[in-house]
PDB file of all heavy atoms in Angstrom:
ATOM      1  N   TYR A   1      20.817 -16.218  -2.880  1.00 98.00           N
ATOM      2  CA  TYR A   1      21.809 -17.208  -3.332  1.00 98.00           C
ATOM      3  C   TYR A   1      21.143 -18.432  -3.950  1.00 98.00           C
ATOM      4  O   TYR A   1      21.752 -19.125  -4.769  1.00 98.00           O
ATOM      5  CB  TYR A   1      22.799 -17.577  -2.226  1.00 98.00           C
ATOM      6  CG  TYR A   1      22.329 -18.441  -1.083  1.00 98.00           C
ATOM      7  CD1 TYR A   1      22.217 -19.823  -1.205  1.00 98.00           C
ATOM      8  CD2 TYR A   1      22.070 -17.876   0.169  1.00 98.00           C
ATOM      9  CE1 TYR A   1      21.832 -20.615  -0.134  1.00 98.00           C
ATOM     10  CE2 TYR A   1      21.694 -18.665   1.250  1.00 98.00           C
ATOM     11  CZ  TYR A   1      21.569 -20.035   1.098  1.00 98.00           C
ATOM     12  OH  TYR A   1      21.205 -20.813   2.167  1.00 98.00           O
ATOM     13  N   TYR A   2      19.888 -18.701  -3.592  1.00 98.00           N
ATOM     14  CA  TYR A   2      19.173 -19.792  -4.259  1.00 98.00           C
ATOM     15  C   TYR A   2      18.952 -19.484  -5.734  1.00 98.00           C
ATOM     16  O   TYR A   2      18.986 -20.379  -6.580  1.00 98.00           O
ATOM     17  CB  TYR A   2      17.824 -20.031  -3.589  1.00 98.00           C
ATOM     18  CG  TYR A   2      17.913 -20.569  -2.196  1.00 98.00           C
ATOM     19  CD1 TYR A   2      17.331 -19.891  -1.129  1.00 98.00           C
ATOM     20  CD2 TYR A   2      18.571 -21.760  -1.921  1.00 98.00           C
ATOM     21  CE1 TYR A   2      17.402 -20.381   0.164  1.00 98.00           C
ATOM     22  CE2 TYR A   2      18.647 -22.263  -0.627  1.00 98.00           C
ATOM     23  CZ  TYR A   2      18.064 -21.557   0.410  1.00 98.00           C
ATOM     24  OH  TYR A   2      18.146 -22.045   1.678  1.00 98.00           O
ATOM     25  N   LEU A   3      18.712 -18.222  -6.038  1.00 98.00           N
ATOM     26  CA  LEU A   3      18.458 -17.837  -7.423  1.00 98.00           C
ATOM     27  C   LEU A   3      19.717 -18.027  -8.270  1.00 98.00           C
ATOM     28  O   LEU A   3      19.657 -18.529  -9.398  1.00 98.00           O
ATOM     29  CB  LEU A   3      17.984 -16.382  -7.479  1.00 98.00           C
ATOM     30  CG  LEU A   3      16.772 -16.054  -6.596  1.00 98.00           C
ATOM     31  CD1 LEU A   3      16.401 -14.587  -6.734  1.00 98.00           C
ATOM     32  CD2 LEU A   3      15.592 -16.949  -6.937  1.00 98.00           C
ATOM     33  N   GLY A   4      20.875 -17.646  -7.715  1.00 98.00           N
ATOM     34  CA  GLY A   4      22.127 -17.878  -8.421  1.00 98.00           C
ATOM     35  C   GLY A   4      22.430 -19.352  -8.579  1.00 98.00           C
ATOM     36  O   GLY A   4      22.924 -19.799  -9.624  1.00 98.00           O
ATOM     37  N   SER A   5      22.130 -20.136  -7.548  1.00 98.00           N
ATOM     38  CA  SER A   5      22.350 -21.581  -7.617  1.00 98.00           C
ATOM     39  C   SER A   5      21.483 -22.206  -8.700  1.00 98.00           C
ATOM     40  O   SER A   5      21.947 -23.031  -9.500  1.00 98.00           O
ATOM     41  CB  SER A   5      22.049 -22.213  -6.260  1.00 98.00           C
ATOM     42  OG  SER A   5      22.197 -23.616  -6.301  1.00 98.00           O
ATOM     43  N   TYR A   6      20.217 -21.811  -8.730  1.00 98.00           N
ATOM     44  CA  TYR A   6      19.307 -22.292  -9.777  1.00 98.00           C
ATOM     45  C   TYR A   6      19.852 -21.943 -11.159  1.00 98.00           C
ATOM     46  O   TYR A   6      19.851 -22.781 -12.083  1.00 98.00           O
ATOM     47  CB  TYR A   6      17.921 -21.684  -9.561  1.00 98.00           C
ATOM     48  CG  TYR A   6      17.005 -21.772 -10.765  1.00 98.00           C
ATOM     49  CD1 TYR A   6      16.313 -22.937 -11.048  1.00 98.00           C
ATOM     50  CD2 TYR A   6      16.833 -20.663 -11.609  1.00 98.00           C
ATOM     51  CE1 TYR A   6      15.473 -23.019 -12.157  1.00 98.00           C
ATOM     52  CE2 TYR A   6      16.003 -20.740 -12.710  1.00 98.00           C
ATOM     53  CZ  TYR A   6      15.323 -21.909 -12.987  1.00 98.00           C
ATOM     54  OH  TYR A   6      14.505 -21.987 -14.076  1.00 98.00           O
ATOM     55  N   ALA A   7      20.329 -20.700 -11.335  1.00 98.00           N
ATOM     56  CA  ALA A   7      20.858 -20.272 -12.633  1.00 98.00           C
ATOM     57  C   ALA A   7      22.053 -21.138 -13.050  1.00 98.00           C
ATOM     58  O   ALA A   7      22.213 -21.459 -14.229  1.00 98.00           O
ATOM     59  CB  ALA A   7      21.252 -18.798 -12.576  1.00 98.00           C
ATOM     60  N   ALA A   8      22.892 -21.519 -12.094  1.00 98.00           N
ATOM     61  CA  ALA A   8      24.039 -22.376 -12.408  1.00 98.00           C
ATOM     62  C   ALA A   8      23.581 -23.759 -12.864  1.00 98.00           C
ATOM     63  O   ALA A   8      24.155 -24.336 -13.796  1.00 98.00           O
ATOM     64  CB  ALA A   8      24.957 -22.485 -11.191  1.00 98.00           C
ATOM     65  N   LEU A   9      22.558 -24.302 -12.223  1.00 98.00           N
ATOM     66  CA  LEU A   9      22.035 -25.599 -12.656  1.00 98.00           C
ATOM     67  C   LEU A   9      21.473 -25.510 -14.071  1.00 98.00           C
ATOM     68  O   LEU A   9      21.694 -26.395 -14.898  1.00 98.00           O
ATOM     69  CB  LEU A   9      20.954 -26.081 -11.677  1.00 98.00           C
ATOM     70  CG  LEU A   9      21.416 -26.466 -10.269  1.00 98.00           C
ATOM     71  CD1 LEU A   9      20.222 -26.899  -9.424  1.00 98.00           C
ATOM     72  CD2 LEU A   9      22.443 -27.592 -10.317  1.00 98.00           C
ATOM     73  N   VAL A  10      20.751 -24.428 -14.358  1.00 98.00           N
ATOM     74  CA  VAL A  10      20.208 -24.242 -15.704  1.00 98.00           C
ATOM     75  C   VAL A  10      21.345 -24.162 -16.727  1.00 98.00           C
ATOM     76  O   VAL A  10      21.292 -24.785 -17.796  1.00 98.00           O
ATOM     77  CB  VAL A  10      19.338 -22.971 -15.763  1.00 98.00           C
ATOM     78  CG1 VAL A  10      18.913 -22.676 -17.205  1.00 98.00           C
ATOM     79  CG2 VAL A  10      18.100 -23.118 -14.875  1.00 98.00           C
ATOM     80  N   ALA A  11      22.396 -23.418 -16.388  1.00 98.00           N
ATOM     81  CA  ALA A  11      23.517 -23.233 -17.316  1.00 98.00           C
ATOM     82  C   ALA A  11      24.240 -24.537 -17.618  1.00 98.00           C
ATOM     83  O   ALA A  11      24.898 -24.668 -18.651  1.00 98.00           O
ATOM     84  CB  ALA A  11      24.490 -22.207 -16.744  1.00 98.00           C
ATOM     85  N   HIS A  12      24.129 -25.508 -16.714  1.00 98.00           N
ATOM     86  CA  HIS A  12      24.818 -26.793 -16.891  1.00 98.00           C
ATOM     87  C   HIS A  12      23.837 -27.922 -17.237  1.00 98.00           C
ATOM     88  O   HIS A  12      24.119 -29.102 -16.997  1.00 98.00           O
ATOM     89  CB  HIS A  12      25.601 -27.142 -15.616  1.00 98.00           C
ATOM     90  CG  HIS A  12      26.780 -26.252 -15.387  1.00 98.00           C
ATOM     91  ND1 HIS A  12      26.664 -25.011 -14.777  1.00 98.00           N
ATOM     92  CD2 HIS A  12      28.102 -26.413 -15.689  1.00 98.00           C
ATOM     93  CE1 HIS A  12      27.869 -24.460 -14.705  1.00 98.00           C
ATOM     94  NE2 HIS A  12      28.748 -25.278 -15.247  1.00 98.00           N
ATOM     95  N   ASP A  13      22.698 -27.559 -17.812  1.00 97.00           N
ATOM     96  CA  ASP A  13      21.695 -28.537 -18.257  1.00 97.00           C
ATOM     97  C   ASP A  13      21.219 -29.444 -17.131  1.00 97.00           C
ATOM     98  O   ASP A  13      20.973 -30.643 -17.329  1.00 97.00           O
ATOM     99  CB  ASP A  13      22.232 -29.377 -19.415  1.00 97.00           C
ATOM    100  CG  ASP A  13      22.502 -28.547 -20.662  1.00 97.00           C
ATOM    101  OD1 ASP A  13      21.710 -27.619 -20.932  1.00 97.00           O
ATOM    102  OD2 ASP A  13      23.516 -28.811 -21.343  1.00 97.00           O
ATOM    103  N   LEU A  14      21.081 -28.878 -15.947  1.00 97.00           N
ATOM    104  CA  LEU A  14      20.582 -29.619 -14.790  1.00 97.00           C
ATOM    105  C   LEU A  14      19.355 -28.920 -14.204  1.00 97.00           C
ATOM    106  O   LEU A  14      19.110 -28.952 -12.998  1.00 97.00           O
ATOM    107  CB  LEU A  14      21.674 -29.737 -13.721  1.00 97.00           C
ATOM    108  CG  LEU A  14      22.916 -30.552 -14.112  1.00 97.00           C
ATOM    109  CD1 LEU A  14      24.037 -30.329 -13.098  1.00 97.00           C
ATOM    110  CD2 LEU A  14      22.572 -32.035 -14.202  1.00 97.00           C
ATOM    111  N   THR A  15      18.581 -28.286 -15.052  1.00 97.00           N
ATOM    112  CA  THR A  15      17.427 -27.504 -14.606  1.00 97.00           C
ATOM    113  C   THR A  15      16.506 -28.335 -13.715  1.00 97.00           C
ATOM    114  O   THR A  15      16.102 -29.441 -14.106  1.00 97.00           O
ATOM    115  CB  THR A  15      16.624 -26.995 -15.812  1.00 97.00           C
ATOM    116  OG1 THR A  15      17.482 -26.223 -16.656  1.00 97.00           O
ATOM    117  CG2 THR A  15      15.455 -26.136 -15.355  1.00 97.00           C
ATOM    118  N   PRO A  16      16.176 -27.846 -12.536  1.00 98.00           N
ATOM    119  CA  PRO A  16      15.252 -28.595 -11.668  1.00 98.00           C
ATOM    120  C   PRO A  16      13.871 -28.733 -12.319  1.00 98.00           C
ATOM    121  O   PRO A  16      13.368 -27.800 -12.944  1.00 98.00           O
ATOM    122  CB  PRO A  16      15.177 -27.726 -10.403  1.00 98.00           C
ATOM    123  CG  PRO A  16      16.361 -26.831 -10.459  1.00 98.00           C
ATOM    124  CD  PRO A  16      16.656 -26.612 -11.902  1.00 98.00           C
ATOM    125  N   ASP A  17      13.285 -29.898 -12.152  1.00 97.00           N
ATOM    126  CA  ASP A  17      11.906 -30.111 -12.596  1.00 97.00           C
ATOM    127  C   ASP A  17      10.921 -29.646 -11.533  1.00 97.00           C
ATOM    128  O   ASP A  17       9.779 -29.312 -11.846  1.00 97.00           O
ATOM    129  CB  ASP A  17      11.666 -31.593 -12.897  1.00 97.00           C
ATOM    130  CG  ASP A  17      12.603 -32.101 -13.981  1.00 97.00           C
ATOM    131  OD1 ASP A  17      12.543 -31.572 -15.102  1.00 97.00           O
ATOM    132  OD2 ASP A  17      13.413 -33.001 -13.688  1.00 97.00           O
ATOM    133  N   ILE A  18      11.377 -29.650 -10.288  1.00 97.00           N
ATOM    134  CA  ILE A  18      10.568 -29.153  -9.181  1.00 97.00           C
ATOM    135  C   ILE A  18      11.490 -28.538  -8.148  1.00 97.00           C
ATOM    136  O   ILE A  18      12.599 -29.021  -7.914  1.00 97.00           O
ATOM    137  CB  ILE A  18       9.699 -30.270  -8.550  1.00 97.00           C
ATOM    138  CG1 ILE A  18       8.787 -29.682  -7.457  1.00 97.00           C
ATOM    139  CG2 ILE A  18      10.551 -31.404  -8.023  1.00 97.00           C
ATOM    140  CD1 ILE A  18       7.751 -30.674  -6.920  1.00 97.00           C
ATOM    141  N   ILE A  19      11.024 -27.448  -7.559  1.00 98.00           N
ATOM    142  CA  ILE A  19      11.720 -26.786  -6.464  1.00 98.00           C
ATOM    143  C   ILE A  19      10.820 -26.854  -5.240  1.00 98.00           C
ATOM    144  O   ILE A  19       9.620 -26.556  -5.322  1.00 98.00           O
ATOM    145  CB  ILE A  19      12.039 -25.319  -6.796  1.00 98.00           C
ATOM    146  CG1 ILE A  19      13.056 -25.243  -7.946  1.00 98.00           C
ATOM    147  CG2 ILE A  19      12.562 -24.573  -5.569  1.00 98.00           C
ATOM    148  CD1 ILE A  19      13.241 -23.838  -8.503  1.00 98.00           C
ATOM    149  N   VAL A  20      11.380 -27.262  -4.109  1.00 98.00           N
ATOM    150  CA  VAL A  20      10.650 -27.278  -2.852  1.00 98.00           C
ATOM    151  C   VAL A  20      11.215 -26.167  -1.980  1.00 98.00           C
ATOM    152  O   VAL A  20      12.395 -26.184  -1.622  1.00 98.00           O
ATOM    153  CB  VAL A  20      10.777 -28.636  -2.127  1.00 98.00           C
ATOM    154  CG1 VAL A  20       9.924 -28.638  -0.859  1.00 98.00           C
ATOM    155  CG2 VAL A  20      10.348 -29.776  -3.054  1.00 98.00           C
ATOM    156  N   GLY A  21      10.380 -25.183  -1.660  1.00 98.00           N
ATOM    157  CA  GLY A  21      10.825 -24.022  -0.902  1.00 98.00           C
ATOM    158  C   GLY A  21      10.286 -24.013   0.510  1.00 98.00           C
ATOM    159  O   GLY A  21       9.126 -24.380   0.746  1.00 98.00           O
ATOM    160  N   THR A  22      11.140 -23.600   1.443  1.00 98.00           N
ATOM    161  CA  THR A  22      10.715 -23.432   2.834  1.00 98.00           C
ATOM    162  C   THR A  22      11.210 -22.083   3.341  1.00 98.00           C
ATOM    163  O   THR A  22      12.280 -21.616   2.969  1.00 98.00           O
ATOM    164  CB  THR A  22      11.261 -24.542   3.750  1.00 98.00           C
ATOM    165  OG1 THR A  22      12.698 -24.535   3.693  1.00 98.00           O
ATOM    166  CG2 THR A  22      10.771 -25.908   3.319  1.00 98.00           C
ATOM    167  N   CYS A  23      10.423 -21.461   4.204  1.00 96.00           N
ATOM    168  CA  CYS A  23      10.758 -20.167   4.816  1.00 96.00           C
ATOM    169  C   CYS A  23      11.142 -19.156   3.737  1.00 96.00           C
ATOM    170  O   CYS A  23      10.424 -19.003   2.764  1.00 96.00           O
ATOM    171  CB  CYS A  23      11.847 -20.360   5.869  1.00 96.00           C
ATOM    172  SG  CYS A  23      11.325 -21.406   7.241  1.00 96.00           S
ATOM    173  N   GLY A  24      12.298 -18.478   3.887  1.00 96.00           N
ATOM    174  CA  GLY A  24      12.705 -17.505   2.879  1.00 96.00           C
ATOM    175  C   GLY A  24      12.877 -18.119   1.508  1.00 96.00           C
ATOM    176  O   GLY A  24      12.694 -17.442   0.483  1.00 96.00           O
ATOM    177  N   GLY A  25      13.202 -19.399   1.467  1.00 97.00           N
ATOM    178  CA  GLY A  25      13.342 -20.090   0.194  1.00 97.00           C
ATOM    179  C   GLY A  25      12.038 -20.191  -0.577  1.00 97.00           C
ATOM    180  O   GLY A  25      12.047 -20.375  -1.806  1.00 97.00           O
ATOM    181  N   SER A  26      10.907 -20.061   0.112  1.00 98.00           N
ATOM    182  CA  SER A  26       9.620 -20.098  -0.594  1.00 98.00           C
ATOM    183  C   SER A  26       9.459 -18.860  -1.474  1.00 98.00           C
ATOM    184  O   SER A  26       8.877 -18.942  -2.564  1.00 98.00           O
ATOM    185  CB  SER A  26       8.468 -20.206   0.405  1.00 98.00           C
ATOM    186  OG  SER A  26       8.344 -19.028   1.197  1.00 98.00           O
ATOM    187  N   LEU A  27       9.966 -17.715  -1.012  1.00 98.00           N
ATOM    188  CA  LEU A  27       9.929 -16.510  -1.835  1.00 98.00           C
ATOM    189  C   LEU A  27      10.817 -16.685  -3.060  1.00 98.00           C
ATOM    190  O   LEU A  27      10.432 -16.311  -4.182  1.00 98.00           O
ATOM    191  CB  LEU A  27      10.364 -15.289  -1.029  1.00 98.00           C
ATOM    192  CG  LEU A  27      10.433 -13.965  -1.800  1.00 98.00           C
ATOM    193  CD1 LEU A  27       9.076 -13.610  -2.406  1.00 98.00           C
ATOM    194  CD2 LEU A  27      10.928 -12.841  -0.886  1.00 98.00           C
ATOM    195  N   SER A  28      11.996 -17.259  -2.885  1.00 98.00           N
ATOM    196  CA  SER A  28      12.874 -17.534  -4.030  1.00 98.00           C
ATOM    197  C   SER A  28      12.192 -18.455  -5.026  1.00 98.00           C
ATOM    198  O   SER A  28      12.292 -18.259  -6.250  1.00 98.00           O
ATOM    199  CB  SER A  28      14.184 -18.164  -3.550  1.00 98.00           C
ATOM    200  OG  SER A  28      14.906 -17.289  -2.727  1.00 98.00           O
ATOM    201  N   ALA A  29      11.503 -19.477  -4.523  1.00 98.00           N
ATOM    202  CA  ALA A  29      10.806 -20.408  -5.414  1.00 98.00           C
ATOM    203  C   ALA A  29       9.732 -19.675  -6.216  1.00 98.00           C
ATOM    204  O   ALA A  29       9.546 -19.943  -7.415  1.00 98.00           O
ATOM    205  CB  ALA A  29      10.194 -21.546  -4.595  1.00 98.00           C
ATOM    206  N   TYR A  30       9.028 -18.762  -5.577  1.00 97.00           N
ATOM    207  CA  TYR A  30       8.006 -17.979  -6.279  1.00 97.00           C
ATOM    208  C   TYR A  30       8.635 -17.113  -7.364  1.00 97.00           C
ATOM    209  O   TYR A  30       8.090 -16.982  -8.474  1.00 97.00           O
ATOM    210  CB  TYR A  30       7.234 -17.130  -5.279  1.00 97.00           C
ATOM    211  CG  TYR A  30       6.144 -16.279  -5.905  1.00 97.00           C
ATOM    212  CD1 TYR A  30       5.271 -16.799  -6.856  1.00 97.00           C
ATOM    213  CD2 TYR A  30       5.989 -14.945  -5.534  1.00 97.00           C
ATOM    214  CE1 TYR A  30       4.269 -16.016  -7.416  1.00 97.00           C
ATOM    215  CE2 TYR A  30       4.989 -14.153  -6.090  1.00 97.00           C
ATOM    216  CZ  TYR A  30       4.133 -14.693  -7.029  1.00 97.00           C
ATOM    217  OH  TYR A  30       3.151 -13.913  -7.591  1.00 97.00           O
ATOM    218  N   LEU A  31       9.788 -16.535  -7.087  1.00 97.00           N
ATOM    219  CA  LEU A  31      10.465 -15.717  -8.086  1.00 97.00           C
ATOM    220  C   LEU A  31      10.861 -16.555  -9.302  1.00 97.00           C
ATOM    221  O   LEU A  31      10.735 -16.101 -10.449  1.00 97.00           O
ATOM    222  CB  LEU A  31      11.698 -15.043  -7.472  1.00 97.00           C
ATOM    223  CG  LEU A  31      11.429 -14.070  -6.318  1.00 97.00           C
ATOM    224  CD1 LEU A  31      12.740 -13.505  -5.778  1.00 97.00           C
ATOM    225  CD2 LEU A  31      10.503 -12.941  -6.753  1.00 97.00           C
ATOM    226  N   VAL A  32      11.330 -17.776  -9.073  1.00 97.00           N
ATOM    227  CA  VAL A  32      11.651 -18.672 -10.196  1.00 97.00           C
ATOM    228  C   VAL A  32      10.391 -18.999 -10.984  1.00 97.00           C
ATOM    229  O   VAL A  32      10.408 -19.071 -12.216  1.00 97.00           O
ATOM    230  CB  VAL A  32      12.344 -19.952  -9.695  1.00 97.00           C
ATOM    231  CG1 VAL A  32      12.495 -20.964 -10.832  1.00 97.00           C
ATOM    232  CG2 VAL A  32      13.708 -19.629  -9.095  1.00 97.00           C
ATOM    233  N   HIS A  33       9.287 -19.199 -10.287  1.00 96.00           N
ATOM    234  CA  HIS A  33       8.017 -19.465 -10.962  1.00 96.00           C
ATOM    235  C   HIS A  33       7.649 -18.312 -11.891  1.00 96.00           C
ATOM    236  O   HIS A  33       7.177 -18.536 -13.015  1.00 96.00           O
ATOM    237  CB  HIS A  33       6.922 -19.667  -9.918  1.00 96.00           C
ATOM    238  CG  HIS A  33       5.531 -19.737 -10.481  1.00 96.00           C
ATOM    239  ND1 HIS A  33       5.046 -20.837 -11.150  1.00 96.00           N
ATOM    240  CD2 HIS A  33       4.522 -18.811 -10.489  1.00 96.00           C
ATOM    241  CE1 HIS A  33       3.795 -20.611 -11.544  1.00 96.00           C
ATOM    242  NE2 HIS A  33       3.461 -19.386 -11.162  1.00 96.00           N
ATOM    243  N   LEU A  34       7.872 -17.100 -11.443  1.00 95.00           N
ATOM    244  CA  LEU A  34       7.532 -15.926 -12.255  1.00 95.00           C
ATOM    245  C   LEU A  34       8.497 -15.725 -13.411  1.00 95.00           C
ATOM    246  O   LEU A  34       8.113 -15.251 -14.476  1.00 95.00           O
ATOM    247  CB  LEU A  34       7.518 -14.671 -11.373  1.00 95.00           C
ATOM    248  CG  LEU A  34       6.438 -14.584 -10.302  1.00 95.00           C
ATOM    249  CD1 LEU A  34       6.657 -13.358  -9.428  1.00 95.00           C
ATOM    250  CD2 LEU A  34       5.047 -14.558 -10.927  1.00 95.00           C
ATOM    251  N   ALA A  35       9.761 -16.051 -13.198  1.00 95.00           N
ATOM    252  CA  ALA A  35      10.800 -15.767 -14.194  1.00 95.00           C
ATOM    253  C   ALA A  35      11.773 -16.934 -14.281  1.00 95.00           C
ATOM    254  O   ALA A  35      12.886 -16.862 -13.759  1.00 95.00           O
ATOM    255  CB  ALA A  35      11.533 -14.472 -13.831  1.00 95.00           C
ATOM    256  N   PRO A  36      11.389 -18.023 -14.922  1.00 96.00           N
ATOM    257  CA  PRO A  36      12.257 -19.211 -14.951  1.00 96.00           C
ATOM    258  C   PRO A  36      13.534 -19.034 -15.761  1.00 96.00           C
ATOM    259  O   PRO A  36      14.510 -19.746 -15.527  1.00 96.00           O
ATOM    260  CB  PRO A  36      11.357 -20.295 -15.555  1.00 96.00           C
ATOM    261  CG  PRO A  36      10.308 -19.541 -16.305  1.00 96.00           C
ATOM    262  CD  PRO A  36      10.077 -18.281 -15.549  1.00 96.00           C
TER     263      PRO A  36
END
């Protein structure tokens, strides 16, 4: 669900400049790094 949330921010010109990931969210952050 973090990946979908990120995509919504991108779609509304609110792309994060930095993502801070913890626990399972760290894997999501890595996936965004690979495929922004």
Side-chain angles (χ1 to χ4, degrees):
Y1 73 80
Y2 293 122
L3 306 180
S5 178
Y6 163 81
L9 292 179
V10 173
H12 291 83
D13 296 322
L14 295 168
T15 303
D17 301 299
I18 184 172
I19 294 170
V20 184
T22 59
C23 297
S26 67
L27 177 59
S28 297
Y30 180 45
L31 298 178
V32 172
H33 171 75
L34 293 174

